[in-house]
Amino acid sequence: MKNEITLVGRMYRFGALLMMLLTALLLPDVLFAASPAPELPEIPIPAINMAIGSAGTPQDVVQTLQIVALITVLSMAPAILLMVTSFTRILVVMGFVRSAIGLQQAPPNQVLTSLALFLTIFTMTPVWTQIYDQALVPYTQGEIQTPAAWERTVQPVRDFMFKQTRERELSLMVRLSGDPQPANQSEVRTMTLVPAYVLSELKTAFQMGVVIYIPFIVIDMIVASILMSMGMMMLPPSMISLPFKILLFVMADGWSLVIASLVTSFN
């Protein structure tokens, strides 16, 4: 009986609270429904007109080509980010870490991609700073023209890629491109340097992945040997080794070691 009275009291208080909320929400509409709405000043809304017509002067053609080139570059921005920065190596190594531990979706792909993106910004900050100081600021101030600004923008990125590119991969791409053997770095075309840099990044990432895999493979082998010696051949070794691999990774502060190794590998 006491419980029923308590339940009825709670329902009554809940109903009273709900009525108070409805009154507070509806009362202003009831009170001000009959009052005329105040006249608001008319705010002019700008209109944007886009039309396609024939070019009247050569300058119109140049501006149209510049807009098309800008849209093309913006659409290729993700590919440029993958190809000429440290994003590829970082993301591949992160994937190796997750696979070596034996986890399928932890951390999720969104977390790994976001972490790789911010680490890319961190490692590429000196390059972006150099581009900003030597190319963007003088160009916006009118001190240099577009060709000089483009050259000052590309050169820091090329220097970064040359520093991380292996000679073997660069020789391969020069041979495949059919270009004559370059005498120095300035004679290597950017279109030849980019794929050579990507191949070098993949090779470096796979080498780091092998080093990451070794301790976890040892744990799998130990667990499998123990299970076989105990006669538990039907029990999957990965089910038993997974907690030990996670424990080893946490105890060794694995994420800090991996990130530190990635960042220092670009120095």
Side-chain angles (χ1 to χ4, degrees):
M1 186 65 180
K2 184 178 181 180
N3 295 333
E4 294 178 357
I5 295 175
T6 304
L7 180 60
V8 172
R10 290 179 180 178
M11 294 178 62
Y12 176 78
R13 288 194 296 268
F14 177 76
L17 179 61
L18 183 61
M19 291 299 298
M20 291 174 61
L21 290 175
L22 291 176
T23 304
L25 292 174
L26 298 177
L27 187 58
D29 296 336
V30 175
L31 293 177
F32 296 102
S35 59
E39 296 182 0
L40 298 177
E42 295 184 359
I43 301 176
I45 300 176
I48 300 176
N49 297 323
M50 300 182 63
I52 299 176
S54 59
T57 60
Q59 185 65 25
D60 296 337
V61 178
V62 173
Q63 291 179 355
T64 303
L65 294 178
Q66 289 177 348
I67 294 174
V68 173
L70 179 60
I71 295 175
T72 304
V73 170
L74 291 177
S75 63
M76 295 178 61
I80 295 174
L81 176 64
L82 293 175
M83 296 297 105
V84 301
T85 63
S86 57
F87 183 83
T88 301
R89 182 191 303 184
I90 296 173
L91 187 60
V92 172
V93 172
M94 292 292 183
F96 270 113
V97 171
R98 186 173 65 180
S99 300
I101 298 176
L103 300 173
Q104 299 298 326
Q105 295 296 330
N109 293 330
Q110 294 84 351
V111 175
L112 291 182
T113 305
S114 301
L115 180 58
L117 181 59
F118 279 98
L119 287 177
T120 301
I121 297 173
F122 180 80
T123 55
M124 298 295 295
T125 296
V127 179
W128 306 141
T129 303
Q130 187 177 358
I131 293 174
Y132 178 81
D133 294 335
Q134 298 181 3
L136 183 59
V137 173
Y139 180 73
T140 55
Q141 294 178 354
E143 299 177 1
I144 57 176
Q145 299 299 323
T146 302
W150 172 254
E151 182 65 25
R152 294 186 182 184
T153 301
V154 174
Q155 191 58 43
V157 180
R158 284 174 56 90
D159 294 340
F160 172 80
M161 288 191 293
F162 272 118
K163 187 178 179 180
Q164 306 299 328
T165 304
R166 301 171 186 267
E167 184 178 354
R168 185 174 181 178
E169 279 72 22
L170 184 59
S171 300
L172 172 64
M173 296 311 303
V174 170
R175 185 172 69 253
L176 293 177
S177 64
D179 296 336
Q181 190 68 23
N184 48 46
Q185 293 182 355
S186 60
E187 295 183 1
V188 179
R189 296 189 305 164
T190 304
M191 297 304 296
T192 304
L193 176 60
V194 171
Y197 168 75
V198 175
L199 291 177
S200 299
E201 288 292 282
L202 290 175
K203 186 175 183 178
T204 304
F206 273 68
Q207 290 177 348
M208 298 180 68
V210 170
V211 176
I212 292 171
Y213 254 97
I214 291 176
F216 300 108
I217 292 177
V218 172
I219 295 177
D220 287 332
M221 294 176 61
I222 294 174
V223 172
S225 300
I226 294 174
L227 291 178
M228 289 184 64
S229 63
M230 296 176 63
M232 299 180 179
M233 292 178 293
M234 300 301 294
L235 183 64
S238 59
M239 182 183 301
I240 306 301
S241 63
L242 180 58
F244 291 100
K245 290 190 288 187
I246 296 176
L247 180 62
L248 173 65
F249 191 74
V250 173
M251 295 294 293
D253 200 6
W255 286 115
S256 298
L257 293 176
V258 171
I259 292 175
S261 300
L262 283 171
V263 173
T264 55
S265 66
F266 292 100
N267 296 332

